[in-house]
Amino acid sequence: MASTPEVVVFGAGSIGCYVGGRLAATGATVRFIGRERVVAEVRAHGLHLTDWQGADLKVPAADVRIDTGPEALSTADLVLVTVKSAATEEAGQTLAPRLKPGAIVISFQNGLHNAAVLRGLLPNHTVLTGMVPFNVAAQGQGHFHAGSEGTLEVERHAVLAPFVDAFTRAGLALKQHADIVAVQWAKLLFNLNNALNALANLPLKEELSQRAWRRCLALAQGEALAVLGRAGVKPAKLTPLPPGWIPVLLGAPDAVFSVLAKKMLAIDPKARSSMWDDLHAGRKTEVDYLNGEVVRLAHQHGVSAPVNSRLVELIREAEAGQRRQWTGEALLVDLKKAELANRG
């Protein structure tokens, strides 16, 4: 491996540009591969990376190595895969004939099974599961803003040693886990709110300040926790409260929730979910890899998940141009109706 390892971001969208940009801004050798829209934007404006704590880093356009083609993969020591989950198989097929021996791959994607898909296509490479717990929103003109707290989570492995310092310098220290599946499920429980945020058409902080929306999330999380219990899966504890207590907190009156939530997770007023961003841009969402995962696991264990099934259905309708904006009260009634119909 070179004295200065080369990192390639494959799928330079909001997450990829933010993580790779912070690495590049703090001295790492980074190359980006993305779609034409993002490539043109970054070539014109460079990268501007900010976060909810006040971080403000820039990489001038002349210093950003970004392209649409896969040529950069041939010299990569570490590839960060940040494409949408539906594009994972295509990504693996692109990587397979181009990666040099010893190149390492980390899947920093939503969903649970992307790293496994990549492993199947890259049998001669180390592929690790990673997780990005914070929200990143594209602000335009190469500006990407992380609107909530969290650090990068990744499967523990000795091959990460040469890269740890670079991530730490970037303010993105890698938190390594022996049981990354438990961490993924814990993150997915929070990400069940992505569909709600998209249907609310509100910033995350404003949405979660309203009890009706939180009660919708409590229904989705409570159902998911019941399914996980049936499957024998114990999600990791990512906040001061155990996962099983969070639906109770979500249902608390606004005044109580606002005090307790500040101790759990910081969110700034700009933050919105990636699913809101996808709907707003007319792209297909990742709802099948979030709420859909709960539905699939439920079916595998002979139970149903009517709340999360209904949310998948509503997002699919929104993708097709149907109703895209709800009140929390109206959606709560709708989800309870789905739950009741399932019992009947």
Side-chain angles (χ1 to χ4, degrees), residues 130-271:
M131 193 266 282
V132 180
F134 46 81
N135 164 274
V136 177
Q139 305 290 302
Q141 298 188 339
H143 181 192
F144 298 91
H145 178 77
S148 57
E149 67 177 316
T151 188
L152 296 177
E153 319 272 355
V154 67
E155 186 177 353
R156 183 176 296 155
H157 202 292
V159 296
L160 292 171
F163 309 99
V164 168
D165 287 348
F167 280 90
T168 301
R169 284 196 305 272
L172 299 170
L174 294 173
K175 188 174 182 180
Q176 299 187 44
H177 299 269
D179 185 2
I180 194 66
V181 174
V183 175
Q184 284 182 292
W185 271 112
K187 170 69 182 320
L188 190 142
L189 288 171
F190 283 102
N191 276 352
L192 296 180
N193 187 56
N194 283 18
L196 298 171
N197 183 250
L199 295 171
N201 195 26
L202 296 170
L204 281 163
K205 192 167 187 177
E206 184 177 348
E207 175 219 337
L208 291 172
S209 72
Q210 300 178 26
R211 191 182 187 194
W213 283 110
R214 296 198 307 275
R215 291 179 68 191
C216 291
L217 179 55
L219 285 179
Q221 285 193 355
E223 179 179 89
L225 285 164
V227 171
L228 289 174
R230 180 92 174 202
V233 177
K234 185 178 181 180
K237 181 182 174 185
L238 298 183
T239 71
L241 280 182
W245 292 12
I246 293 175
V248 178
L249 171 62
L250 290 169
D254 291 342
V256 175
F257 177 81
S258 64
V259 172
L260 296 177
K262 289 178 182 178
K263 301 178 181 179
M264 287 181 52
L265 180 65
I267 305 175
D268 77 14
K270 297 180 183 179

Side-chain angles (χ1 to χ4, degrees), residues 9 11-22 32 38 42 47 49 66 82 144:
V9 174
S14 295
I15 291 292
C17 284
Y18 181 79
V19 173
R22 289 195 64 146
F32 299 82
V38 177
V42 173
L47 288 168
L49 305 317
I66 187 168
T82 54
F144 298 91

Side-chain angles (χ1 to χ4, degrees), residues 33-343:
I33 300 171
R35 297 191 183 279
E36 183 56 46
R37 175 184 60 82
V38 177
V39 170
E41 179 182 329
V42 173
R43 282 178 173 171
H45 302 284
L47 288 168
H48 182 196
L49 305 317
T50 56
D51 74 8
W52 64 283
Q53 291 180 305
D56 194 332
L57 298 91
K58 293 182 179 179
V59 186
D63 295 338
V64 182
R65 302 165 71 190
I66 187 168
D67 213 326
T68 56
E71 293 77 18
L73 292 169
S74 63
T75 56
D77 297 300
L78 175 66
V79 178
L80 309 181
V81 176
T82 54
V83 299
K84 295 290 187 180
S85 295
T88 301
E89 186 169 352
E90 181 184 354
Q93 291 169 348
T94 301
L95 268 59
R98 295 175 173 86
L99 293 182
K100 68 181 184 182
I104 301 150
V105 176
I106 302 178
S107 163
F108 278 128
Q109 300 166 270
N110 280 329
L112 301 170
H113 310 295
N114 293 301
V117 172
L118 292 171
R119 286 188 193 104
L121 295 164
L122 304 169
N124 298 318
H125 294 273
T126 300
V127 179
L128 302 177
T129 299
M131 193 266 282
V132 180
F134 46 81
N135 164 274
V136 177
Q139 305 290 302
Q141 298 188 339
H143 181 192
F144 298 91
H145 178 77
S148 57
E149 67 177 316
T151 188
L152 296 177
E153 319 272 355
V154 67
E155 186 177 353
R156 183 176 296 155
H157 202 292
V159 296
L160 292 171
F163 309 99
V164 168
D165 287 348
F167 280 90
T168 301
R169 284 196 305 272
L172 299 170
L174 294 173
K175 188 174 182 180
Q176 299 187 44
H177 299 269
D179 185 2
I180 194 66
V181 174
V183 175
Q184 284 182 292
W185 271 112
K187 170 69 182 320
L188 190 142
L189 288 171
F190 283 102
N191 276 352
L192 296 180
N193 187 56
N194 283 18
L196 298 171
N197 183 250
L199 295 171
N201 195 26
L202 296 170
L204 281 163
K205 192 167 187 177
E206 184 177 348
E207 175 219 337
L208 291 172
S209 72
Q210 300 178 26
R211 191 182 187 194
W213 283 110
R214 296 198 307 275
R215 291 179 68 191
C216 291
L217 179 55
L219 285 179
Q221 285 193 355
E223 179 179 89
L225 285 164
V227 171
L228 289 174
R230 180 92 174 202
V233 177
K234 185 178 181 180
K237 181 182 174 185
L238 298 183
T239 71
L241 280 182
W245 292 12
I246 293 175
V248 178
L249 171 62
L250 290 169
D254 291 342
V256 175
F257 177 81
S258 64
V259 172
L260 296 177
K262 289 178 182 178
K263 301 178 181 179
M264 287 181 52
L265 180 65
I267 305 175
D268 77 14
K270 297 180 183 179
R272 293 180 186 258
S273 72
S274 58
M275 201 172 296
W276 176 90
D277 192 44
D278 287 338
L279 274 188
H280 187 69
R283 297 187 293 262
K284 187 174 181 180
T285 72
E286 291 188 294
V287 70
D288 283 340
Y289 301 91
L290 298 173
N291 305 78
E293 291 284 7
V294 177
V295 176
R296 278 190 290 276
L297 187 65
H299 289 170
Q300 289 170 15
H301 292 273
V303 295
S304 59
V307 172
N308 284 284
S309 293
R310 180 60 176 152
L311 288 171
V312 171
E313 182 180 344
L314 291 173
I315 291 296
R316 287 282 169 254
E317 290 175 0
E319 289 174 348
Q322 298 181 43
R323 184 174 180 179
R324 289 181 53 179
Q325 185 165 347
W326 292 69
T327 65
E329 291 78 5
L331 187 59
L332 183 61
V333 169
D334 188 277
L335 295 179
K336 285 186 173 181
K337 183 179 178 181
E339 196 175 41
L340 186 60
N342 179 72
R343 291 175 186 169

